[in-house]
Amino acid sequence: MKDLQYVILKKENLDGFISRMSRLRKVSAPVAKGNGEYAFEEVDSSDRIELKYKPTIMPPKKYFMPQEETLLEFSTAKGLATKPVVEYEKMTLFGVHTCDLAGIQCLNAVFSVRPRDYNYLTRKRQIDIIGLECGDYCDEHASCSMVSAHMPSGGYDLFFTDLGDYFIVHMNTQAGEEMIEATKCFESAEETHFDDLQSFRKKKRDTFKSEVQIEPRFIPGLFDACFESSIWKELDAKCLACGNCTNVCPTCYCFDIIDEVGLDLKNGKRYRKWDSCQLEPFAKVAGGENFRKERAARQRHRYYRKFRYPVAKYSKFFCTGCGRCSRSCMAGIHLKDTLNALIKESDSKIWKKWL
Amino acid sequence: MEKVVIKDSNYRIRKGKILRTKQLTKLEKLFEIALDGGESLDQEPGQFVMVSIFGVGEAPISVCSSPTKRGSFELCVRDAGKVTGAMHRLEAGDEIGIRGPYGKGFPIRILEGNDLLMVAGGLGIAPLRSLIKYAFDNRRDFGKIHIMLGCKTSDDLLFEDELNQWFKRMDVHYECTVDRAASDWDGHVGQITTLLPGVHLETERTFAIVVGPPVMYKFVLRELIKKNIPENQIILSFERHMKCGMGKCGRCQIQNLYCCQDGPVFNYADIKNMSEAL
Ligand SMILES: Cc1cc2nc3c(=O)[nH]c(=O)nc-3n(C[C@H](O)[C@H](O)[C@H](O)COP(=O)(O)OP(=O)(O)OC[C@H]3O[C@@H](n4cnc5c(N)ncnc54)[C@H](O)[C@@H]3O)c2cc1C
Ligand code: SF4
Ligand code: SF4
Ligand code: FES
């Protein structure tokens, strides 16, 4: 039986696909930056695209929620006049791993709950997404399997799985179908292609095992038991409060709002900019109190914003297991180590007895 | 990069005109503001707005007037930095930007029919005044009203002329204390907690509403618990750093709660076990 949702793209036709797409609209894809680092950048052929890459330094969040974005323009020249604006760019993202697809889905949830954020939602509608499956771990920092982000589960228009000489491609949306029709590089998928996909996935299931010894359904309980844990104190001594971990995280979205006036002092803009809960003044108020003064409290907050608070609010973890926070931490704070330490410490605690 | 103007933006600003200002103390100034085109702010007592001074920024400020006051609203602002400092330089006739109202205000429907023990420390009187005024304007809907006020010195007293009227009202039990008294002060001297033991309350029908700086909560709560006021009849209002007011920017988070959406008014029973709350 033929599954009409699938097509194939021969490897030799990848370049044709990318270059035709790039004539229609901007295409961004992972390219090598040296030192084993990668980044999403604009491409116009497949030449620079890396099909096997470790998570890019910055996640594709940078396109959905740019580091800085104008929210409002104002003028005080002739009385007060204000104009709310959205900045966006039509584009296609090629080669997004399942962890980063999960990250985009987290951001979608945040900015879709009321009050909806029209700046984000307008921009998101202009970005088509082509996923790319991993067959093996990128490195030791990944923990995607623990949170089930190693398998595709929506969030893309097209999804590519590299099966050697060709890609099998899942068409998930009308926009995906239109890309296939517009570029005319694809062929229909046959029985043998599905067999190849089956054996690829089987091998993948054997490779990817939960990286941390806990079942996902027990993670919220683990965190409920660990608020006063001494592990946070240990992180306090290590953390440099630099904010790298939140900047590179695909699900961190805290922001500051800042005004800027032009040289004429009459016209200006209000923009938002990524912020970090790891920075000291983040929770400080005018009276002088700082509600997360200790680095321990700020690190704890970061972990709870990944593994506890969003579970109640959005029914999902806000960690995709991409490993970026661990890779970028100059102090060597590693997410898997922290989780393992919490599990070890709570071994004796009540919740384990119910397993 | 394309840029378009959008109608639906959450960051849309409503224009407000300052009708009147009044310097209350050295640091605090009162603003009466009307929205452009006679629009109503339509706030609940205890809610706040984001005030814009363009080119400087935004700051969350509690509305200190009651929604029963129509056509305009009031803000009592302490000069604490950039935005609030810039506000202090504004006078009647100047324009400012308003976003909101935001947050969960005081639970009026639950408070109705009960006695109110309202306790304010320092600038806490500003948010609480919206409830006090609302209760006065709907006096029949409430039982006994006690107002306990504390501040550093008599020079820091906000809304002094109004306080003097409260003193005279038969339907309100009002007391005020200062930490340090000047020679002409003939009222109470001491921390706000010294006022509480002497108040006679029917605890089962009394709601305590407490607004003040973080340090005050610990001591006042201890007194209220001593007086056997049930935990779920204690209402608090918190200040946190806020940027968006809409549960997005993350600044105001108290563990899993967003002070800007789930608060700023909280029921003590809901937050008593949260170490980041108190
Ligand atoms: C719900 C709520 C209601 C409030 N109601 C009133 C009120 O009725 N009257 C009043 O005078 N003040 C009120 N405040 C406090 C007021 O928002 C701050 O004083 C003001 O934001 C300081 O901004 P600034 O630009 O003047 O100071 P800045 O120059 O930016 O900073 C001075 C200090 O204020 C802190 N701060 C800066 N921005 C904020 C912010 N957005 N929220 C909290 N702290 C901040 C900074 O960390 C710093 O410690 C309220 C705050 C909240 C959260
Ligand atoms: S990257 Fe590491 S050192 Fe920097 S704030 Fe995060 S945990 Fe702390
Ligand atoms: S917390 Fe770390 S591993 Fe998890 S999504 Fe963020 S950067 Fe990736
Ligand atoms: S002020 Fe932005 S989340 Fe509450």
Side-chain angles (χ1 to χ4, degrees), chain A residues 97-162:
Chain A
H97 283 165
T98 49
C99 57
D100 283 343
L101 292 174
I104 296 167
Q105 286 169 305
C106 289
L107 297 182
N108 290 347
V110 169
F111 291 107
S112 302
V113 296
R114 286 172 202 279
R116 291 162 180 274
D117 189 288
Y118 293 100
N119 289 71
Y120 178 91
L121 295 175
T122 306
R123 193 170 316 104
K124 162 186 168 247
R125 273 198 291 278
Q126 302 296 331
I127 306 176
D128 289 338
I129 303 173
I130 303 178
L132 177 65
E133 186 156 11
C134 302
D136 201 350
Y137 277 115
C138 46
D139 67 11
E140 74 279 10
H141 293 300
S143 56
C144 47
S145 171
M146 173 185 70
V147 291
S148 305
H150 61 313
M151 287 294 181
S153 69
Y156 53 80
D157 297 290
L158 294 177
F159 189 76
F160 279 48
T161 303
D162 187 341

Side-chain angles (χ1 to χ4, degrees), chain A residues 44-333:
Chain A
D44 54 14
S45 73
S46 68
D47 293 354
R48 292 165 64 221
I49 299 181
E50 295 286 342
L51 292 172
K52 284 211 161 46
Y53 72 97
K54 166 184 103 175
T56 48
I57 304 165
M58 283 295 168
K61 141 177 120 174
K62 67 179 182 181
Y63 296 114
F64 290 80
M65 186 193 174
Q67 192 146 18
E68 284 187 21
E69 90 177 92
T70 307
L71 300 170
L72 190 82
E73 293 176 339
F74 56 83
S75 161
T76 50
K78 283 188 251 119
L80 175 61
T82 63
K83 211 166 56 179
V85 296
V86 176
E87 294 170 330
Y88 66 89
E89 194 169 21
K90 257 191 172 351
M91 65 179 297
T92 301
L93 273 177
F94 176 83
V96 183
H97 283 165
T98 49
C99 57
D100 283 343
L101 292 174
I104 296 167
Q105 286 169 305
C106 289
L107 297 182
N108 290 347
V110 169
F111 291 107
S112 302
V113 296
R114 286 172 202 279
R116 291 162 180 274
D117 189 288
Y118 293 100
N119 289 71
Y120 178 91
L121 295 175
T122 306
R123 193 170 316 104
K124 162 186 168 247
R125 273 198 291 278
Q126 302 296 331
I127 306 176
D128 289 338
I129 303 173
I130 303 178
L132 177 65
E133 186 156 11
C134 302
D136 201 350
Y137 277 115
C138 46
D139 67 11
E140 74 279 10
H141 293 300
S143 56
C144 47
S145 171
M146 173 185 70
V147 291
S148 305
H150 61 313
M151 287 294 181
S153 69
Y156 53 80
D157 297 290
L158 294 177
F159 189 76
F160 279 48
T161 303
D162 187 341
L163 294 175
D165 302 333
Y166 70 96
F167 300 97
I168 189 161
V169 179
H170 180 225
M171 288 187 280
N172 197 34
T173 64
Q174 185 117 34
E177 204 178 323
E178 281 162 13
M179 283 188 257
I180 285 169
E181 273 163 20
T183 52
K184 301 196 168 32
C185 297
F186 296 78
E187 295 157 36
S188 52
E190 307 297 335
E191 205 64 46
T192 66
H193 302 129
F194 289 112
D195 292 344
D196 286 354
L197 181 61
Q198 291 283 329
S199 52
F200 173 90
R201 291 265 165 86
K202 184 173 178 301
K203 192 159 152 259
K204 178 168 172 177
R205 285 204 178 84
D206 293 337
T207 311
F208 284 80
K209 290 274 171 325
S210 182
E211 303 79 5
V212 176
Q213 291 315 306
I214 185 168
E215 277 183 60
R217 64 192 169 110
F218 293 121
I219 292 178
L222 171 70
F223 276 81
D224 285 341
C226 289
F227 200 78
E228 302 300 339
S229 165
S230 60
I231 307 296
W232 310 122
K233 289 259 150 37
E234 287 170 28
L235 297 190
D236 189 284
K238 280 173 131 183
C239 177
L240 308 167
C242 65
N244 275 351
C245 51
T246 57
N247 271 340
V248 299
C249 179
T251 71
C252 276
Y253 56 88
C254 287
F255 56 83
D256 197 356
I257 300 177
I258 301 165
D259 277 15
E260 194 178 276
V261 271
L263 290 175
D264 62 357
L265 301 179
K266 297 247 161 63
N267 294 288
K269 63 174 186 179
R270 174 166 293 163
Y271 64 100
R272 69 174 162 202
K273 186 177 174 207
W274 293 354
D275 205 341
S276 173
C277 62
Q278 297 308 300
L279 306 180
E280 198 266 340
F282 190 79
K284 201 165 162 188
V285 296
E289 278 81 14
N290 187 340
F291 294 95
R292 278 185 294 277
K293 192 163 185 276
E294 310 296 327
R295 288 173 193 189
R298 302 205 291 275
Q299 275 294 316
R300 174 173 67 192
H301 188 64
R302 175 168 82 91
Y303 278 94
Y304 276 71
R305 278 196 50 133
K306 301 298 150 199
F307 293 106
R308 188 64 192 97
Y309 306 149
V311 177
K313 191 162 179 179
Y314 302 106
S315 295
K316 53 169 116 197
F317 295 119
F318 267 43
C319 177
T320 71
C322 72
R324 284 186 179 90
C325 54
S326 309
R327 266 173 229 120
S328 70
C329 180
M330 292 177 293
I333 293 175

Side-chain angles (χ1 to χ4, degrees), chain B residues 13-29:
Chain B
I13 299 295
R14 292 203 268 176
K15 227 184 342 185
K17 194 175 214 106
I18 299 174
L19 301 180
R20 193 174 63 93
T21 67
K22 185 177 182 193
Q23 195 73 39
L24 296 178
T25 68
K26 233 187 268 162
L27 278 180
E28 280 100 4
K29 188 166 172 175

Side-chain angles (χ1 to χ4, degrees), chain B residues 125-242:
Chain B
I125 185 64
L128 201 56
R129 180 174 174 264
S130 67
L131 179 62
I132 295 171
K133 292 232 160 202
Y134 181 89
F136 285 175
D137 289 343
N138 298 276
R139 187 62 191 87
R140 253 199 341 213
D141 297 338
F142 299 90
K144 285 197 195 112
I145 295 182
H146 311 269
I147 302 173
M148 312 275 116
L149 205 61
C151 64
K152 287 206 189 85
T153 73
S154 48
D155 289 340
D156 304 316
L157 272 180
L158 295 163
F159 307 108
E160 207 171 350
D161 44 348
E162 292 180 17
L163 307 185
N164 289 331
Q165 287 173 21
W166 299 351
F167 247 130
K168 293 184 199 131
R169 284 181 77 130
M170 297 301 295
D171 57 352
V172 177
H173 167 211
Y174 166 74
E175 306 216 31
C176 176
T177 179
V178 296
D179 294 353
R180 275 170 283 114
S183 52
D184 59 345
W185 177 256
D186 55 5
H188 295 282
V189 181
Q191 305 276 315
I192 189 146
T193 40
T194 57
L195 292 179
L196 293 170
V199 195
H200 294 289
L201 301 171
E202 287 178 65
T203 50
E204 67 282 2
R205 52 167 299 184
T206 299
F207 274 78
I209 301 112
V210 190
V211 192
V215 281
M216 189 188 102
Y217 287 121
K218 212 164 71 201
F219 298 106
V220 170
L221 282 166
R222 197 184 294 154
E223 288 301 321
L224 295 175
I225 307 274
K226 245 195 247 164
K227 288 188 91 77
N228 291 319
I229 297 192
E231 285 173 348
N232 63 359
Q233 288 176 210
I234 301 176
I235 311 288
L236 311 166
S237 180
F238 288 151
E239 181 190 350
R240 287 294 183 279
H241 205 127
M242 293 183 181

